Amino acid sequence: NAGVTQTPKFQVLKTGQSMTLQCAQDMNHNSMYWYRQDPGMGLRLIYYSASEGTTDKGEVPNGYNVSRLNKREFSLRLESAAPSQTSVYFCASRTSQRGTDTQYFGPGTRLTVL
Amino acid sequence: AQSVTQLGSHVSVSEGALVLLRCNYSSSVPPYLFWYVQYPNQGLQLLLKYTSAATLVKGINGFEAEFKKSETSFHLTKPSAHMSDAAEYFCAVRLSNDYKLSFGAGTTVTVRA
């Protein structure tokens, strides 16, 4: 099992450009999450998907959109990138089975917006 | 609402010394509590979790944490630090009826030879 995979690993954008961050998991998990990590602020939830076909806003959703394409894939889109979106983005997944309450994280995408 | 406070953004310990990382939470009901570790340029890995069974939880790499409801704390300890413990550590909380984790700001551990 590859676990949670994310592409790309690194990306540099100019202000106003758009891009989609891809995330896939092969653990048959129901829930998937997108976080951003900024120094001194821990991880903040952008969006999450409790199950296939549903998405909900997290703590910092402004400037982002998501798509739960199927059970495996959950993408994050920046329509018009801003320097404030420079961050490290992590995708995570979690099963809803009782007793296995653990989120598994991908390796992250380092995004710089100039 | 729930929040997590990690006391101390940086901790420096000597190799072989005790590692103590502090975490306090605020929650109206007993939550699920987690410690994650992040090594440089990697994602987060679960160290241990408290899910209302034993209050003393043992995790990987010799770490353990104790849930103290009266103090709303979930401090992480390791009796003897190793150079490989140098990393950033995050405390997180989740309510039983919620899908979301709330993370603390993180504590960076440096281990001195």
Side-chain angles (χ1 to χ4, degrees):
Chain A
N1 286 353
V4 180
T5 58
Q6 293 182 236
T7 56
K9 285 186 168 50
F10 301 93
Q11 184 71 49
V12 179
L13 293 178
K14 294 181 180 178
T15 296
Q17 287 185 316
S18 62
M19 78 161 296
T20 299
L21 281 64
Q22 306 287 354
C23 173
Q25 52 91 8
D26 62 1
M27 297 175 282
N28 201 35
H29 286 172
N30 294 316
S31 303
M32 298 186 73
Y33 307 80
W34 276 106
Y35 295 90
R36 60 177 289 172
Q37 182 181 27
D38 302 292
M41 304 190 75
L43 276 74
R44 292 180 292 169
L45 183 65
I46 305 172
Y47 270 93
Y48 69 102
S49 171
S51 61
E52 186 179 356
T54 68
T55 60
D56 286 286
K57 295 179 180 179
E59 185 182 353
V60 288
N62 291 345
Y64 305 95
N65 285 300
V66 291
S67 295
R68 183 74 183 267
L69 305 170
N70 46 55
K71 192 171 186 178
R72 288 187 64 248
E73 299 172 287
F74 188 39
S75 63
L76 178 71
R77 183 161 178 83
L78 287 69
E79 291 291 352
S80 179
S84 61
Q85 294 179 305
T86 293
S87 187
V88 182
Y89 292 85
F90 288 100
C91 178
S93 70
R94 168 183 168 265
T95 181
S96 59
Q97 292 178 6
R98 188 182 295 273
T100 56
D101 185 16
T102 299
Q103 287 194 17
Y104 295 85
F105 286 80
T109 295
R110 293 183 178 275
L111 175 66
T112 301
V113 183
L114 302 175
Chain B
Q2 56 189 30
S3 68
V4 182
T5 302
Q6 290 184 240
L7 298 176
S9 58
H10 290 88
V11 169
S12 180
V13 299
S14 298
E15 194 173 18
L18 171 72
V19 179
L20 170 60
L21 304 182
R22 300 179 188 275
C23 173
N24 288 88
Y25 68 91
S26 62
S27 172
S28 56
V29 296
Y32 294 111
L33 295 157
F34 306 81
W35 276 100
Y36 281 85
V37 60
Q38 183 181 30
Y39 298 104
N41 300 313
Q42 294 187 26
L44 277 71
Q45 301 174 33
L46 181 70
L47 268 181
L48 49 81
K49 62 184 178 183
Y50 167 76
T51 55
S52 76
T55 57
L56 182 62
V57 182
K58 294 188 183 300
I60 62 172
N61 301 339
F63 283 93
E64 63 181 36
E66 185 172 10
F67 171 67
K68 291 188 176 180
K69 184 178 178 181
S70 61
E71 299 178 7
T72 60
S73 69
F74 190 56
H75 302 332
L76 180 72
T77 60
K78 182 173 180 177
S80 177
H82 191 272
M83 297 299 288
S84 61
D85 295 326
E88 190 164 16
Y89 293 79
F90 293 94
C91 183
V93 61
R94 183 180 77 80
L95 294 180
S96 60
N97 61 347
D98 200 353
Y99 292 98
K100 304 184 295 294
L101 281 177
S102 294
F103 284 86
T107 299
T108 300
V109 172
T110 303
V111 182
R112 305 185 304 271

